[in-house]
Amino acid sequence: LDSFEHHLAYHSDAAAGARQLAQAMRADLFDIACDFYIAGPEAFVQALHGELRAAGVAAAQIHTEVL
């Protein structure tokens, strides 16, 4: 897993935290072909999934788990 990156994120508003994380990721991750693995509360997972899709990430590259 040499090219594996992970980020632990917390925000009191899960949807706002997801949007904030997606904005931070755009500069680094959207220029490369990679898969995204998202785990967390449902609001966070749905919001980040939506942000990634809106940014052009293919659905097949997004893997989610609601915890």
Side-chain angles (χ1 to χ4, degrees), residues 5-65:
E5 291 184 31
H6 73 280
H7 300 277
L8 180 61
Y10 175 79
H11 196 284
S12 59
D13 179 341
R19 286 189 299 275
Q20 192 174 55
L21 183 58
Q23 289 171 353
M25 291 169 31
R26 281 193 177 119
D28 293 333
L29 299 178
F30 291 161
D31 291 335
I32 61 173
C34 65
D35 287 349
F36 295 84
Y37 296 86
I38 306 167
E42 186 173 4
F44 173 80
V45 170
Q46 288 179 351
L48 188 50
H49 185 276
E51 292 286 335
L52 292 171
R53 291 291 291 137
V57 176
Q61 290 176 261
I62 304 171
H63 311 278
T64 63
E65 181 73 31

